[in-house]
Amino acid sequence: MNAQTDLVSPQDAPQEPLANRPAAAQPDSDHAQFVDWMRSVAPYIHAFRNKTFVVGFGGEVVHQGLLNALVSDVALLQAMGIQIVLVHGSRPQVEEQMSLHGVNSEFSHGMRITDARALESAKEAAGEVRLDIEAAISQGLPNTPMAHAHISVVSGNFVTARPVGILDGVDFAHTGLVRKIDAESIRHSLASRKIVLLSPLGFSPTGEAFNLSMEDVASAAAIALRADKIIFLTETAGILDESGDLVREMSLDEAYRLNDSGEIKGDAAFYLKHAVRACRGGVPRAHLIPYSLDGSLLLELFLHDGVGTMISYENLESLREATPDDVGGILTLIEPLESDGTLVKRGRHQIERDIDHFSVIEHDGVLFGCAALYPYPQERIGEMACLTIAPDAQGQGDGERLLKRIEQRARARGLTRIFVLTTRTEHWFLKRGFMKASVDDLPEDRRRLYNWQRKSLVLMKQL
Ligand SMILES: CC(C)(COP(=O)(O)OP(=O)(O)OC[C@H]1O[C@@H](n2cnc3c(N)ncnc32)[C@H](O)[C@@H]1OP(=O)(O)O)[C@@H](O)C(=O)NCCC(=O)NCCS
């Protein structure tokens, strides 16, 4: 944002009436791009206001000098009315403290064994990282994204812990697990516009301290707060498939199976486990994004396709593939739109024949949305057709959920692009990553069937 423009007071601002403005008032292409961008993020700003996001990150973010950039992005989110809980780790700092004190690290079952000396290092490390974060949040330097940001941060004894105990004969001593999160006190702080900062330490009701994992604290906090999102900033790009490509979206079911399969190893597996835990506990979305990419938090939240992996808790009963029993429900949905010319007419026979192509959204046994994917495997392209949401259910994001499902189905079939033909819904698709294309871009078989009288626009999206 141009800070100088921002400082012009209303009475100093030029008072030219809009109609009298010369043609030069048209924005140049850079400005137009900015305005388009700003408008494109507006729906997210509306949607995220008053939502609660839990953001977990390892001590590596601090260690590698990336803290200030992250804190600026968090400050921006807070200014938009998002309630933020930050959960930090401190692994590299604990290692540092332990080597300073000449204490050896010991691990078992993928966890640190925290004896009394290791606990002292863990406390010192967590204290150091917490202070660094509080300092970064408190700075309001002019000419930085933190200018004019007056943000309060609160940390406290919000986490009750219990010992891991003895596993297979190994005593984990002061290594603990979250027993309870004081959600009420955290909510109270969030409601008074404070950022809540949680450290990977917890205390038992007897006052004993325990060394916890950042991921455990973050997922337990997200569940207890009924957060809208949990976001882990990770050292990997997100979840990668066998060919090393980023998996952009997974349903909770898919993430659960992948987590169970043991195919994902190392830190990514730990993040995935806690993302699945949070979603199963009722958090609708979990994101794994790379901390090394500058602005990854903003890119993930405000770009339609994001930059990491998003795991969504879907009510699996509500969004599913169609069965022959759904033909009647689909016809009821699309017939009014066929009659008014929004959709091309398809008879019952055609829907019955193509039922495997459809995905539907159902609530209490009633269909209120559908869409179909017609693949052209040779050209690695698919057509999304019949996208419909019942009029009284529109505007709640279900059109978008169906689009995502069709994109998932297309990717699973190895398609690289999808297209739609539309006469009235151009802007809805453009806003969701489709670009204008021409009839010549259609697969040959589809091009031959194109109805030149209908003059539908061709919109294409790269997957
Ligand atoms: C297009 C359609 C599927 C969207 O479903 P939905 O569940 O309402 O969509 P979402 O909730 O994900 O998005 C709602 C947003 O899309 C906008 N929108 C709805 N119809 C639109 C249209 N024809 N053109 C541009 N934007 C549209 C809404 O105004 C709303 O905007 P907002 O978030 O800024 O308030 C639904 O409106 C519909 O069934 N329309 C009639 C059938 C149709 O046109 N299908 C496409 C055939 S190619």
Side-chain angles (χ1 to χ4, degrees):
M1 181 163 304
N2 181 338
Q4 281 175 350
T5 318
D6 207 32
L7 294 176
V8 176
S9 68
Q11 60 271 37
D12 298 336
Q15 295 299 308
E16 185 91 42
L18 268 181
N20 293 346
R21 288 214 187 140
Q26 284 296 319
D28 65 24
S29 71
D30 276 359
H31 289 169
Q33 225 176 25
F34 176 79
V35 170
D36 277 352
W37 173 82
M38 200 75 195
R39 285 179 183 151
S40 74
V41 301
Y44 296 102
I45 298 177
H46 291 303
F48 293 159
R49 182 175 295 282
N50 293 327
K51 296 287 194 282
T52 305
F53 295 178
V54 174
V55 180
F57 57 96
E60 289 79 3
V61 169
V62 182
H63 210 241
Q64 294 177 22
L66 305 171
L67 181 61
N68 280 350
L70 173 64
V71 163
S72 298
D73 294 348
V74 165
L76 184 61
L77 298 181
Q78 213 230 7
M80 290 176 188
I82 299 169
Q83 303 187 329
I84 305 274
V85 177
L86 290 179
V87 186
H88 74 83
S90 50
R91 191 169 40 185
Q93 292 80 1
V94 174
E95 294 292 342
E96 244 171 36
Q97 290 294 338
M98 289 182 67
S99 69
L100 265 176
H101 298 313
V103 184
N104 285 331
S105 292
E106 277 187 74
F107 292 89
S108 181
H109 298 71
M111 288 179 283
R112 185 187 294 282
I113 300 171
T114 314
D115 61 16
R117 295 208 302 164
L119 179 65
E120 282 316 303
S121 298
K123 283 191 205 165
E124 283 170 49
E128 174 194 324
V129 177
R130 183 165 59 77
L131 287 176
D132 283 347
I133 296 170
E134 288 177 356
I137 292 178
S138 306
Q139 66 182 331
L141 298 178
N143 304 321
T144 72
M146 292 297 286
H148 308 299
H150 300 291
I151 300 168
S152 305
V153 56
V154 171
S155 32
N157 58 342
F158 297 122
V159 182
T160 309
R162 64 179 172 84
V164 166
I166 299 167
L167 291 184
D168 300 328
V170 180
D171 186 352
F172 280 82
H174 296 281
T175 302
L177 294 168
V178 174
R179 179 171 151 190
K180 199 167 159 257
I181 299 280
D182 182 358
E184 204 184 317
S185 301
I186 295 179
R187 272 202 212 98
H188 192 72
S189 298
L190 293 174
S192 49
R193 312 256 320 116
K194 293 179 167 66
I195 288 181
V196 173
L197 176 61
L198 303 180
S199 297
L201 281 177
F203 305 92
S204 71
T206 53
E208 206 180 339
F210 287 96
N211 183 22
L212 309 173
S213 78
M214 173 277 284
E215 294 85 349
D216 184 22
V217 176
S219 55
I223 294 169
L225 290 164
R226 296 193 199 93
D228 299 280
K229 282 184 189 295
I230 181 166
I231 303 163
F232 286 119
L233 289 138
T234 71
E235 37 281 77
T236 54
I239 300 296
L240 306 180
D241 64 17
E242 314 87 62
S243 356
D245 292 329
L246 178 68
V247 181
R248 291 199 179 278
E249 271 200 69
M250 302 175 97
S251 67
L252 172 56
D253 214 30
E254 289 166 322
Y256 181 69
R257 267 185 270 128
L258 184 64
N259 180 45
D260 234 24
S261 72
E263 284 164 29
I264 302 283
K265 305 261 182 273
D267 287 340
F270 204 53
Y271 288 122
L272 182 66
K273 175 179 152 187
H274 283 279
V276 166
R277 176 193 183 199
C279 288
R280 294 191 92 191
V283 179
R285 301 266 190 274
H287 302 251
L288 308 184
I289 59 172
Y291 65 68
S292 56
L293 175 66
D294 186 28
S296 59
L297 190 55
L298 302 181
L299 292 167
E300 178 71 5
L301 292 173
F302 297 106
L303 277 190
H304 186 258
D305 290 327
V307 291
T309 300
M310 180 174 87
I311 297 156
S312 333
Y313 169 89
E314 300 276 25
N315 180 347
L316 293 172
E317 276 168 25
S318 85
L319 175 57
R320 59 175 174 76
E321 309 321 342
T323 71
D325 291 341
D326 296 317
V327 173
I330 293 175
L331 283 168
T332 311
L333 269 175
I334 63 176
E335 268 165 1
L337 294 159
E338 291 180 343
S339 307
D340 76 5
T342 307
L343 296 179
V344 176
K345 208 156 181 53
R346 289 172 172 77
R348 171 180 283 272
H349 178 66
Q350 198 179 337
I351 304 286
E352 272 172 359
R353 189 195 61 197
D354 296 342
I355 194 69
D356 289 344
H357 297 287
F358 278 82
S359 300
V360 293
I361 299 190
E362 171 197 90
H363 182 62
D364 278 350
V366 178
L367 287 199
F368 61 94
C370 66
L373 173 72
Y374 290 88
Y376 294 84
Q378 242 177 352
E379 288 94 339
R380 302 185 70 197
I381 192 169
E383 174 176 6
M384 181 169 74
C386 271
L387 172 66
T388 309
I389 300 292
D392 56 355
Q394 288 178 8
Q396 294 165 29
D398 288 319
E400 179 137 356
R401 285 173 69 205
L402 269 171
L403 166 62
K404 297 250 173 195
R405 170 57 67 102
I406 294 293
E407 288 177 7
Q408 262 177 15
R409 287 183 77 168
R411 282 196 193 98
R413 300 191 62 147
L415 308 183
T416 55
R417 290 176 300 160
I418 54 170
F419 67 90
V420 289
L421 298 184
T422 184
T423 50
R424 303 188 191 177
T425 322
E426 176 191 357
H427 286 121
W428 191 88
F429 289 110
L430 290 179
K431 221 165 143 181
R432 285 156 182 86
F434 283 78
M435 313 272 261
K436 281 189 189 160
S438 81
V439 178
D440 293 339
D441 298 317
L442 295 176
E444 199 185 325
D445 287 352
R446 186 66 182 87
R447 201 159 51 228
R448 271 192 265 114
L449 295 176
Y450 182 79
N451 180 342
W452 288 96
Q453 271 173 341
R454 206 172 141 76
K455 291 203 184 86
S456 303
L457 287 170
V458 180
L459 303 176
M460 189 82 73
K461 182 171 181 182
Q462 207 75 34
L463 295 176

